[in-house]
Amino acid sequence: MKKIVTALMEQGKGILAADESNPTANERFSALGIEPTEENRRRYRELLLTTPGIEKYLSGVILYDETIRQKTTQGVSFPEWLQSQNILVGIKVDEGLEEIPEVQNGKVTKGLDGLGKRVKEYTEMGAVFAKWRAVAVVGDGYADPAIKENAKRLAEYASVCQEHSVVPMVEPEVLMDGTHSAEDAEGAIIETVAIVCDQLQQSGVALEAVILKTAMSVSGKEAVGRADADEVAERTVRALKTAVPDTMGGVVFLSGGQSPEEAVKNLNAIARLEPHPWPITFSFSRALQSPVLAEWKGKDENADEAQALFLRRVALAIAADSGAYSESMEAFG
Ligand code: 13P
């Protein structure tokens, strides 16, 4: 598992999250007038995964249950295709959110039933890492009522993964929704991530073989006077240094509704504060994909342009991951 962590966190590479559930993918398709069918989801994932050149930049891709079973037009399964490109295969193993009577006003992530069996099946398909996403809101005094239950479930899922030699990518996402400040986000990340890391350690999960997937300490989407990249970076690094033990195998960032430009700008500022105790990189979905989907619109004639845009967004994220991004790079290409 340590070798997988090292490969995923290789300097100069990042991770694509392409594991949107069918309802999420369909919502994004419908908003752009793309018919939300299984075949269109396959075509879109094929466009992303077969973009020439991404193998230079991507160490891993996270797939969804439907996607890991799909094939390219030439009949090569997506996991086999990724392996042929030297890109590690990841899989989303949680099954979305539920409300439970024990937790008031909070949502917990489900998916523990039959998890061992599913993880085993995914390993047979080539998956070597597995993601589970829980969400937390930035609230008064920060404590999300669901965080303890989510932390327990995250620790249990992580244990099951490690029993199968699969690297868990543990994602307690502090949501960007709301009007909160970056300072409030920092507090919420400290509290949420610390509870999750404690629970992982108490449950005997080996942190060296875990990748933490986290939000950045950004102002809420509806906040007035949003924090700039330097402030976001300072607050993000401080929160993570406070909450994440140095033994954590790696830390990757989700984009969480930031624009593509904002996400790379913030990542760049975070990278400029290196050295950090753990390797860092990105694991974006929307910040890499939203312009690509908007360009593609489900039409084959737009595929080349959409792939060029995708490669470009990935390359900019890679530049940001080493602190070498500048806004002027957005103007070219
Ligand atoms: P975003 O980058 O769109 O937040 O998605 C990352 C992810 O995997 C969320 O679970």
Side-chain angles (χ1 to χ4, degrees):
M1 285 185 279
K2 282 201 201 149
K3 277 195 198 144
I4 297 164
V5 170
T6 305
L8 283 170
M9 301 305 303
E10 186 184 331
Q11 182 68 37
K13 290 195 175 179
I15 298 165
L16 166 68
D19 61 329
E20 300 79 12
S21 65
N22 287 349
T24 301
N26 291 348
E27 204 180 298
R28 292 179 191 167
F29 278 24
S30 298
L32 292 165
I34 305 166
E35 213 192 321
T37 62
E38 179 173 349
E39 174 56 10
N40 278 343
R41 292 190 295 272
R42 191 203 65 74
R43 289 171 64 227
Y44 175 59
R45 264 64 180 255
E46 176 169 21
L47 179 144
L48 293 178
L49 303 184
T50 62
T51 294
I54 52 158
E55 68 285 352
K56 289 201 297 279
Y57 299 129
L58 294 181
S59 58
V61 174
I62 318 169
L63 303 175
Y64 180 60
D65 180 75
E66 177 182 271
T67 323
I68 200 170
R69 300 170 196 279
Q70 287 176 324
K71 296 179 177 163
T72 65
T73 309
Q74 278 73 37
V76 182
S77 79
F78 285 149
E80 279 173 42
W81 166 257
L82 290 172
Q83 286 168 333
S84 75
Q85 302 301 298
N86 200 23
I87 297 174
L88 295 171
V89 178
I91 180 76
K92 171 186 174 77
V93 294
D94 68 75
E95 295 180 324
L97 309 180
E98 65 177 348
E99 289 183 28
I100 57 169
E102 298 89 301
V103 177
Q104 299 293 312
N105 309 320
K107 292 209 170 108
V108 287
T109 301
K110 61 182 177 181
L112 289 174
D113 286 349
L115 180 63
K117 209 163 140 242
R118 286 192 288 125
V119 168
K120 186 164 178 291
E121 188 194 0
Y122 291 137
T123 61
E124 286 157 8
M125 295 174 173
V128 294
F129 69 106
K131 187 190 98 173
W132 177 292
R133 172 178 180 258
V135 295
V137 294
V138 181
D140 296 339
Y142 310 136
D144 188 296
I147 185 56
K148 290 215 169 68
E149 180 62 23
N150 270 319
K152 273 193 217 148
R153 294 181 182 197
L154 279 164
E156 186 165 346
Y157 124 85
S159 300
V160 172
C161 287
Q162 292 192 341
E163 276 162 28
H164 289 85
S165 301
V166 165
V167 170
M169 180 180 276
V170 172
E171 182 183 17
E173 174 174 359
V174 171
L175 296 169
M176 215 180 146
D177 303 334
T179 56
H180 56 265
S181 64
E183 184 181 4
D184 289 341
E186 178 185 349
I189 289 174
I190 291 176
E191 183 163 357
T192 305
V193 173
I195 290 173
V196 170
C197 288
D198 280 354
Q199 190 67 54
L200 291 171
Q201 285 177 306
Q202 274 173 40
S203 307
V205 173
L207 288 193
E208 314 81 72
V210 172
I211 292 176
L212 176 78
K213 177 158 176 167
T214 178
M216 303 173 191
S217 302
V218 285
S219 315
K221 259 182 229 159
E222 288 88 39
V224 217
R226 317 205 49 227
D228 66 11
D230 287 335
E231 182 181 346
V232 168
E234 194 191 311
R235 293 192 181 284
T236 302
V237 171
R238 192 164 53 217
L240 295 174
K241 281 191 179 162
T242 308
V244 184
D246 290 0
T247 48
M248 182 64 74
V251 172
V252 298
F253 294 99
L254 58 96
S255 57
Q258 299 180 66
S259 71
E261 295 77 14
E262 189 184 1
V264 286
K265 219 168 128 181
N266 287 336
L267 178 65
N268 190 62
I270 291 169
R272 288 201 178 182
L273 296 179
E274 279 177 340
H276 305 310
W278 351 259
I280 62 157
T281 192
F282 60 86
S283 174
F284 296 158
S285 159
R286 280 166 288 179
L288 294 175
Q289 292 189 44
S290 42
V292 181
L293 190 60
E295 177 69 37
W296 178 56
K297 293 192 196 69
K299 297 189 176 125
D300 285 340
E301 64 264 32
N302 298 335
D304 288 350
E305 200 53 44
Q307 285 191 326
L309 207 48
F310 179 49
L311 185 64
R312 178 155 181 72
R313 290 304 338 154
V314 174
L316 290 172
I318 293 295
D321 187 41
S322 62
Y325 167 86
S326 75
E327 270 175 276
S328 62
M329 290 165 136
E330 295 283 352
F332 302 101

